Amino acid sequence: MATLLFWISIGFAVYVYLGYPLLLWLLQSVFWHSPGPQTVEPSVSLLVAAYNEAAVIADKIRNSLALDYPADKLEVVIASDGSTDATAEIVRSFSSSQTGAHIRLLDFKENRGKTALLNEAIPELRGEIVAFSDASSMLAAVSLRTLVRSFTDPRTGAVSGVYRLLKKDQARLGSQEDLYWKYETFLKVQEARLGAFTGAHGSLYAIRRLLYPFPSAGTINDDFTIPMRILERGYRVAYEPAAMAYEEAHEMEGFSRRVRITAGNIEQLREMKRLLWPPRPFVLFCLFSHKIGRLLVPLFLLVALAANIALRGQFPYNWLVLGQVLFYALALLGAVVSLKPKFLRLPYYFCMINSALFAWVYYALRHGRAIPSRIQLDKIGNQPPLG
């Protein structure tokens, strides 16, 4: 029994991280046909949800004004979610100037969270297309033009861009985070080619405004739920890796952020029942292999370690248990000191993103909530709440 548990557990983890990407690549090579590039310039509302973003909001506005898109077809809307710093005042200084003629401020006085803010802001927008972007994300000049060209296909209801990390050498895990997101980008490209891409990058994605689904205010991962609801209505969710947003590596670090991602992934399971009938085989396959698989890997790794310990003293399990112990010891050491060369930090990064599941379980049990609140999740990493 221990032998069976060990190999099933190891096999599952290997499938999720290595086998699934290979299988995706093989499937899309059979089923995907590349559409020809087309140019389209619909009216666009670039919506930025902001809570106490005074440190970056001026740069965000300047970046938005520099986008290669017709000024008469673009409005930049900053929605302040009860900010208590100078966010609103900075936006007003731009909107009152001649250069900021297309800058609008929606100044909501109460901090209610991002999804509630989006629900109230969407009816105020004028564009046919709504592009969502984070305040800390800086967009490449052609990113918006590149993003919206997917909407030439009337079946496309949403499209995601991709983000790249800046100054990764200045963040402790910047290189590891960059490698992880390049890996994730590869997966998303293949899933999109199969018509099975479900989520989006919150740093930059767009939808047809009339398809906005008004999710519940407590939704954690709006960048998954919104595209998923659009997919459920029979539309396609596209992925455009040439539409780039950039964030500094330190913005993407932190254990609390990993727990928020885990909480959002668990929340996403509620959406799966909508895909069961009529069945969406490729979408269900990708969700099970990608989202659910990632959630289950930490449990399978624990089983693999326990089974390996039970089998110690037998060949080759004595060597395998030694390898596991060394791997986790290196991860613990990486949590304390910044190891060099950088590849030695990979065990810590891998264990950090997987251990987020156990932190979520702890907070969910302690606070009696299926999904812990953002404030509770932020306390894990001692970071300020995100709206």
Side-chain angles (χ1 to χ4, degrees):
M1 180 60 71
T3 303
L4 183 63
L5 287 174
F6 174 79
W7 289 112
I8 287 176
S9 300
I10 290 296
F12 182 81
V14 170
Y15 166 74
V16 169
Y17 280 101
L18 297 177
Y20 172 61
L22 177 60
L23 187 55
L24 264 185
W25 180 80
L26 292 173
L27 286 172
Q28 66 82 27
S29 66
V30 174
F31 291 99
W32 180 61
H33 299 283
S34 176
Q38 299 184 50
T39 300
V40 61
E41 294 179 345
S43 59
V44 177
S45 296
L46 177 60
L47 178 60
V48 180
Y51 173 72
N52 287 353
E53 299 285 3
V56 297
I57 200 64
D59 288 338
K60 179 66 175 182
I61 293 173
R62 294 189 191 99
N63 174 256
S64 301
L65 291 173
L67 291 173
D68 177 23
Y69 206 78
D72 61 334
K73 293 186 177 183
L74 174 65
E75 64 169 354
V76 180
V77 181
I78 312 297
S80 174
D81 188 25
S83 297
T84 57
D85 64 359
T87 297
E89 289 71 19
I90 293 172
V91 179
R92 287 192 186 95
S93 70
F94 277 91
S95 59
S96 61
S97 67
Q98 185 175 0
T99 56
H102 300 286
I103 303 295
R104 293 175 58 200
L105 170 66
L106 300 178
D107 189 10
F108 299 105
K109 300 303 180 183
E110 181 184 355
N111 176 238
R112 293 162 299 171
K114 185 177 180 181
T115 304
L117 177 74
L118 297 180
N119 288 345
E120 191 159 347
I122 289 292
E124 303 294 326
L125 305 182
R126 303 164 184 159
E128 175 189 351
I129 303 298
V130 178
F132 303 91
S133 184
D134 293 335
S136 58
S137 299
M138 300 299 142
L139 309 183
V142 298
S143 59
L144 197 58
R145 182 181 294 279
T146 305
L147 192 72
V148 301
R149 68 185 182 188
S150 292
F151 291 108
T152 55
D153 184 348
R155 299 170 299 171
T156 300
V159 56
S160 174
V162 66
Y163 73 81
R164 294 283 182 259
L165 298 185
L166 299 174
K167 301 181 181 178
K168 55 178 181 277
D169 291 336
Q170 298 180 19
R172 184 185 178 197
L173 295 173
S175 297
Q176 291 73 32
E177 192 75 37
D178 183 56
L179 178 62
Y180 174 81
W181 283 108
K182 286 178 179 177
Y183 168 79
E184 281 292 298
T185 297
F186 171 81
L187 293 182
K188 294 176 188 297
V189 168
Q190 314 312 314
E191 290 172 345
R193 289 174 174 177
L194 288 173
F197 179 60
T198 52
H201 288 302
S203 54
L204 179 62
Y205 73 102
I207 67 168
R208 297 186 189 274
R209 179 171 56 85
L210 294 179
L211 297 180
Y212 183 76
F214 292 92
S216 63
T219 299
I220 296 176
N221 280 16
D222 62 280
D223 53 1
F224 176 87
T225 302
I226 292 171
M228 180 63 125
R229 297 280 176 87
I230 291 173
L231 181 74
E232 291 163 2
R233 294 176 62 176
Y235 290 88
R236 170 175 168 261
V237 179
Y239 191 65
E240 182 49 77
M244 294 188 185
Y246 297 92
E247 294 202 29
E248 294 188 8
H250 71 86
E251 296 281 353
M252 310 309 296
E253 287 192 315
F255 185 59
S256 64
R257 177 176 173 272
R258 282 292 161 188
V259 182
R260 285 196 297 272
I261 291 174
T262 298
N265 288 341
I266 292 171
E267 179 187 66
Q268 293 166 13
L269 299 182
R270 300 173 181 173
E271 302 292 328
M272 292 192 63
K273 61 184 179 182
R274 301 168 181 261
L275 301 171
L276 296 176
W277 195 263
R280 308 280 186 88
F282 278 141
V283 178
L284 288 170
F285 163 71
C286 291
L287 280 173
F288 274 107
S289 298
H290 194 167
K291 299 292 185 180
I292 297 179
R294 294 285 182 85
L295 288 173
L296 293 177
V297 160
L299 302 177
F300 277 87
L301 290 176
L302 280 181
V303 172
L305 180 60
N308 203 170
I309 292 173
L311 293 166
R312 69 187 185 279
Q314 305 177 41
F315 182 83
Y317 301 102
N318 50 343
W319 291 105
L320 291 172
V321 74
L322 178 61
Q324 288 201 69
V325 169
L326 290 175
F327 180 85
Y328 292 120
L330 197 60
L332 287 173
L333 185 61
V336 179
V337 298
S338 184
L339 298 174
K340 292 184 180 180
K342 293 178 182 179
F343 75 87
L344 293 177
R345 303 175 197 171
L346 286 173
Y348 167 63
Y349 184 82
F350 179 81
C351 292
M352 184 264 292
I353 63 177
N354 280 285
S355 61
L357 173 69
F358 304 113
W360 174 86
V361 171
Y362 167 77
Y363 269 80
L365 292 175
R366 180 178 178 182
H367 296 280
R369 295 169 59 96
I371 302 292
S373 71
R374 284 198 169 197
I375 292 177
Q376 291 166 348
L377 293 174
D378 282 316
K379 287 180 180 178
I380 298 172
N382 194 29
Q383 297 179 358
L386 301 177

